[in-house]
Amino acid sequence: MIFAMAGSAIGLGNIWRFPFIVGEHGGAAFVLIYILATLLISLPVFLAEVTVGRRARTSSYGAMSSLSPGKSIWKFAGILSVAIPLIIDSYYSVIGGWSLDFLLKSVTLQFVKSNPQEVTSIFGNFITSTWSPIILHLVFLGACAFIVANGIKAGIEKFSKYTIPVLFVLIVLLIYYSVSLPGASQGVKYLLKPDFSQVNARSFAYAVGQSFYSLSLGMGAIITYGSYVKKEENLMVASAGTAVSDLMFAMLAGLAIMPAVFAAGIEPGAGPGLIFQSVPFVFSTMSASHPAIGAAVSIIFFLTIVVAAMTSCISLLEVGVSFLKDRYGVSRIKGSIILFLICGAAGVLCSLSFGPLKGLTLWGMNIFDIFDWLSSNILLLVMALLTVVFTGFVLKKEDVWDEITNGGTKKFNAAIFNVVYFLIKWVTPVAIVIIFITNFIF
Ligand code: PHE
């Protein structure tokens, strides 16, 4: 069960989003906050989500309202859990398109042929162009929608079982290589030596948002997952195992990317393009001495990224399609087309916000940033808050006890139940509210 859950949690959130968010928030001090946020806030939220899911035995849309019928706030939570994945999918598929482009560039040996100085500018040229990113975003989203429409996601999920371990091996290989680049030690220091002057109130909201994002929390995914979990499974072990492996994967990705960022002379706060600038630099340097290895590693790397992005995009689309099917009787095919059109159009705007629509900003954020910020820093927090409040105040304590200790049979869980329950009921909601508010004030 840990493997299955970790497989769904580990993805672009760890390898693409974590490094650039760390880079935008000053490095090691942020990493420290992130680790604390994962253990003290995300872990209780995770446990609350699987508990609600296993109790309700339905997907996230109806989970809370079925356990507490008649209250419209829990219906609202259900609607949020459908809306958030769609907002995320709109820009997630743009990143999917970028990954696809970099896979094609790897296959046509562009990183091998360019020298390391030129290779970092390939991304900038690509992203500011109008058509290629849009076309690739639509191709990527279209492929995912096609898979969802045909109900063949089991196929790609089987495939993805192999890609996560492959990605893990490649990351370790990249760490080895990128740490040995000249100038890389500064990147290692950046990631491990905290400078607290870089931290402000917003860092906390970003750390919690990133942690939720990476663990697929606050978007109904884990509630739905929980509904499939067998009665005899140990929810606490599964939650802790998933959180720790996701955290480790993020740290490894950071260790692979940051040294390369410094070695290549890229600004750590360069934003969403960070891995698309730094990783090709590593492959290009590698290719100077070993072209065949450089070419092979870059193809496998971007292929695994594309597959990881596809599995996430598919599971995010799946939420909307099953909602349309259950609620309005829309067929899978029609549902997939509707979602393709909505997310496709929204994604086009996100994609254009790096080029022609660059100037269109609100509070210094372009359209892409707004989608990402709105979902990760606002809506995920609201949804997670509703879930912990529901678990702490609506579900009966005996029922939560029953789920978390499997009817008292898991002795360790029973021994620490009161602490965990206190975290879920009091610490997590209060922390989320404080973080949420200070994020706006300071
Ligand atoms: N948690 C995933 C990641 O880190 C993203 C994701 C969210 C995947 C929701 C599936 C569902 O990339």
Side-chain angles (χ1 to χ4, degrees):
M1 187 185 157
I2 296 175
F3 268 112
M5 290 229 210
S8 98
I10 293 169
L12 290 192
N14 308 63
I15 168 135
W16 159 72
R17 201 170 186 279
F18 179 73
F20 95 74
I21 294 285
V22 169
E24 284 180 342
H25 294 273
F30 181 84
V31 172
L32 209 60
I33 298 173
Y34 176 76
I35 294 173
L36 290 177
T38 301
L39 299 177
L40 294 177
I41 299 180
S42 301
L43 197 46
V45 173
F46 199 106
L47 203 51
E49 288 207 10
V50 273
T51 300
V52 170
R54 187 160 80 170
R55 199 82 202 160
R57 295 247 166 248
T58 83
S59 67
S60 64
Y61 172 68
M64 293 191 220
S65 52
S66 75
L67 291 172
S68 171
K71 288 258 172 49
S72 50
I73 174 99
W74 309 123
K75 281 220 180 80
F76 170 72
I79 293 170
L80 260 188
S81 78
V82 175
I84 297 171
L86 296 185
I87 298 175
I88 295 183
D89 226 0
S90 303
Y91 73 84
Y92 206 86
S93 58
V94 174
I95 310 300
W98 297 355
S99 317
L100 203 53
D101 181 72
F102 273 53
L103 174 60
L104 298 175
K105 286 190 163 77
S106 301
V107 172
T108 54
L109 302 180
Q110 293 200 33
F111 306 135
V112 176
K113 283 193 240 149
S114 325
N115 69 42
Q117 271 66 46
E118 293 164 7
V119 86
T120 52
S121 59
I122 289 181
F123 176 74
N125 296 337
F126 164 69
I127 203 178
T128 44
S129 63
T130 307
W131 291 108
S132 337
I134 291 182
I135 293 167
L136 285 156
H137 146 67
L138 293 174
V139 167
F140 180 86
L141 185 64
C144 295
F146 179 83
I147 291 169
V148 172
N150 288 289
I152 47 173
K153 84 183 211 317
I156 181 109
E157 269 166 13
K158 250 187 221 142
F159 189 52
S160 78
K161 271 204 192 111
Y162 304 101
T163 56
I164 294 287
V166 170
L167 195 58
F168 179 81
V169 173
L170 286 181
I171 298 259
V172 174
L173 194 79
L174 276 188
I175 294 178
Y176 172 75
Y177 206 86
S178 101
V179 170
S180 64
L181 292 168
S185 61
Q186 239 183 311
V188 179
K189 219 190 272 161
Y190 182 78
L191 207 60
L192 301 178
K193 199 162 169 255
D195 169 5
F196 288 98
S197 68
Q198 302 280 339
V199 171
N200 57 31
R202 264 189 219 150
S203 315
F204 288 85
Y206 274 89
V208 173
Q210 169 59 23
S211 180
F212 285 175
Y213 188 102
S214 193
L215 283 168
S216 315
L217 293 173
M219 45 184 121
I222 301 299
I223 296 183
T224 307
Y225 218 107
S227 71
Y228 306 131
V229 171
K230 294 201 197 82
K231 277 288 167 215
E232 61 276 11
E233 296 273 9
N234 188 336
L235 296 185
M236 211 183 272
V237 170
S239 308
T242 307
V244 170
S245 36
D246 188 74
L247 193 60
M248 269 167 33
F249 213 93
M251 288 303 291
L252 291 176
L255 269 178
I257 310 289
M258 267 319 158
V261 166
F262 280 82
I266 300 164
E267 182 53 44
L274 199 65
I275 71 160
F276 294 94
Q277 292 168 288
S278 55
V279 171
F281 177 84
V282 179
F283 295 141
S284 168
T285 328
M286 212 184 260
S287 305
S289 49
H290 301 93
I293 297 182
V297 176
S298 85
I299 292 172
I300 305 170
F301 181 82
F302 284 109
L303 181 64
T304 52
I305 296 278
V306 168
V307 175
M310 276 184 95
T311 54
S312 300
C313 183
I314 288 167
S315 52
L316 292 165
L317 282 176
E318 188 72 40
V319 177
V321 168
S322 46
F323 165 75
L324 289 174
K325 195 165 100 230
D326 297 346
R327 186 85 170 69
Y328 298 106
V330 176
S331 72
R332 289 191 77 81
I333 299 194
K334 270 202 197 123
S336 307
I337 295 173
I338 294 172
L339 295 183
F340 172 77
L341 293 174
I342 297 174
C343 297
V348 166
L349 292 177
C350 292
S351 179
L352 287 174
S353 69
F354 292 96
L357 297 184
K358 206 178 193 154
L360 204 60
T361 58
L362 190 66
W363 305 307
M365 293 186 280
N366 65 24
I367 302 172
F368 182 100
D369 298 333
I370 291 172
F371 269 63
D372 189 34
W373 171 82
L374 180 67
S375 47
S376 313
N377 288 29
I378 308 289
L379 299 176
L380 293 191
L381 268 56
V382 172
M383 180 66 197
L385 178 65
L386 290 174
T387 312
V388 279
V389 167
F390 184 84
T391 312
F393 293 91
V394 177
L395 284 184
K396 286 204 213 85
K397 189 173 179 184
E398 301 89 76
D399 292 346
V400 179
W401 155 272
D402 203 35
E403 290 299 335
I404 292 182
T405 66
N406 289 7
T409 57
K410 302 285 176 203
K411 294 287 174 259
F412 176 75
N413 300 8
I416 62 165
F417 177 77
N418 280 333
V419 178
V420 173
Y421 191 69
F422 182 76
L423 281 174
I424 294 178
K425 184 165 182 164
W426 298 109
V427 177
T428 314
V430 171
I432 294 177
V433 169
I434 293 176
I435 286 166
F436 193 78
I437 293 171
T438 47
N439 173 40
F440 284 103
I441 298 175
F442 300 104

